[in-house]
């Protein structure tokens, strides 16, 4: 089980500051969609250049032109790139093919997928490396979480690794760990803490203990 740090509500200097504080406690640094929108793929390039030992995920939430967008993210140094599960199969297929060519990995984000079980099986067959259940900001505001969704995809996925994201904090981490994903994604649970290194260190210990 691995721990991913999601950086969503920061600029590039702010992202670097957080990674300097907690980078030793995480496996993957995610350049979140808001950062990509505000800063572009330069954010991915700069984080990868400063922290080359860490894997960097570009949360592009690709919906079309999968091969091209994966190529551009790969050029910027992204190790993993996200594609939306509601995308057309051709988009996911193109993203996976380009990722293989570039030596990168694809995470498919299942946010707003209606039939999780069927779509997870289809995406698994398309060759995605990770399938991620995700309670977005708007879901969290309505009190929703992704734990039940994770159980659904774990039941049917045969090849891809599984991931969970959305509102996970230190006090809900045990529940996430018990659900046994391959990757736990934490954003505000670390970045919003007054003592980020302490929280990240504790989370790493719990995640590695399984």
């Amino acid at each position: 089980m691995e721990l991913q740090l999601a950086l969503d509500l920061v600029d590039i200097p702010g992202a670097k500051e957080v990674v300097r504080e907690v980078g030793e406690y995480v496996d993957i640094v995610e350049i979140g969609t808001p950062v990509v929108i505000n800063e572009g793929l330069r954010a991915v390039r700069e984080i990868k250049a400063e922290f080359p030992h860490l894997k960097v995920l570009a949360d592009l939430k690709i919906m079309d032109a999968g091969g091209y967008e994966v190529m551009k993210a790969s050029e910027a140094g992204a190790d993993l790139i996200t594609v939306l599960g509601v995308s057309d199969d051709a988009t996911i297929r193109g993203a996976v093919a380009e990722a293989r060519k570039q030596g990168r990995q694809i995470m498919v984000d299942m946010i707003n997928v209606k039939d999780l079980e069927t779509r997870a099986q289809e995406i698994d067959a398309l060759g995605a490396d990770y399938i991620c259940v995700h309670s977005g900001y708007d879901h969290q505001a309505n009190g929703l979480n992704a734990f039940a969704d994770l159980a659904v995809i774990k039941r049917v996925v045969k090849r891809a690794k599984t991931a969970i994201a959305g509102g996970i904090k230190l006090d809900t981490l045990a529940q996430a760990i018990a659900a046994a994903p391959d990757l736990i994604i934490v954003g505000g649970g670390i970045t919003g803490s007054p003592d980020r290194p302490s929280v990240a260190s504790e989370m790493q210990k719990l995640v590695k203990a399984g």
Side-chain angles (χ1 to χ4, degrees):
M1 197 179 295
E2 291 189 305
L3 179 62
Q4 177 171 308
L5 169 69
L7 298 173
D8 287 326
L9 305 178
V10 291
D11 54 15
I12 292 174
K16 289 180 177 179
E17 179 186 346
V18 175
V19 179
R20 285 188 202 108
E21 289 182 10
V22 305
E24 66 185 290
Y25 306 118
V26 302
D27 302 290
I28 302 170
V29 173
E30 170 190 330
I31 303 303
T33 312
V35 182
V36 175
I37 288 170
N38 291 331
E39 303 277 12
L41 285 171
R42 184 169 65 93
V44 174
R45 188 174 289 108
E46 290 199 23
I47 292 294
K48 188 63 180 180
E50 185 154 339
F51 308 98
H53 60 291
L54 287 171
K55 289 185 281 187
V56 175
L57 178 142
D59 189 19
L60 301 190
K61 293 189 174 73
I62 293 169
M63 187 71 178
D64 190 24
Y68 177 77
E69 296 196 6
V70 168
M71 178 183 70
K72 300 312 289 184
S74 300
E75 288 173 359
D79 300 287
L80 302 96
I81 303 101
T82 63
V83 182
L84 290 178
V86 294
S87 302
D88 191 82
D89 285 1
T91 301
I92 297 172
R93 199 176 290 114
V96 168
E98 185 63 28
R100 296 289 175 273
K101 192 190 302 182
Q102 300 285 347
R104 314 296 180 172
Q105 291 185 306
I106 294 298
M107 177 184 290
V108 175
D109 186 333
M110 302 295 277
I111 192 168
N112 290 332
V113 168
K114 301 306 180 194
D115 184 350
L116 274 174
E117 185 169 331
T118 300
R119 192 58 178 148
Q121 289 174 300
E122 293 168 349
I123 289 166
D124 195 29
L126 290 169
D129 298 286
Y130 289 87
I131 299 177
C132 178
V133 292
H134 181 191
S135 294
Y137 286 114
D138 296 336
H139 294 152
Q140 291 171 47
N142 290 320
L144 301 176
N145 66 58
F147 296 118
D149 293 344
L150 180 61
V152 170
I153 68 165
K154 279 187 69 67
R155 192 166 63 242
V156 299
V157 167
K158 306 296 184 192
R159 195 200 64 83
K161 293 182 177 180
T162 59
I164 186 168
I168 298 169
K169 297 183 167 49
L170 196 52
D171 61 356
T172 58
L173 183 60
Q175 190 178 358
I177 291 168
D182 298 288
L183 179 63
I184 294 176
I185 301 168
V186 179
I190 291 174
T191 60
S193 167
D195 188 351
R196 292 185 290 223
S198 170
V199 169
S201 173
E202 183 62 22
M203 284 189 165
Q204 181 198 46
K205 275 188 226 161
L206 293 168
V207 166
K208 295 309 176 190

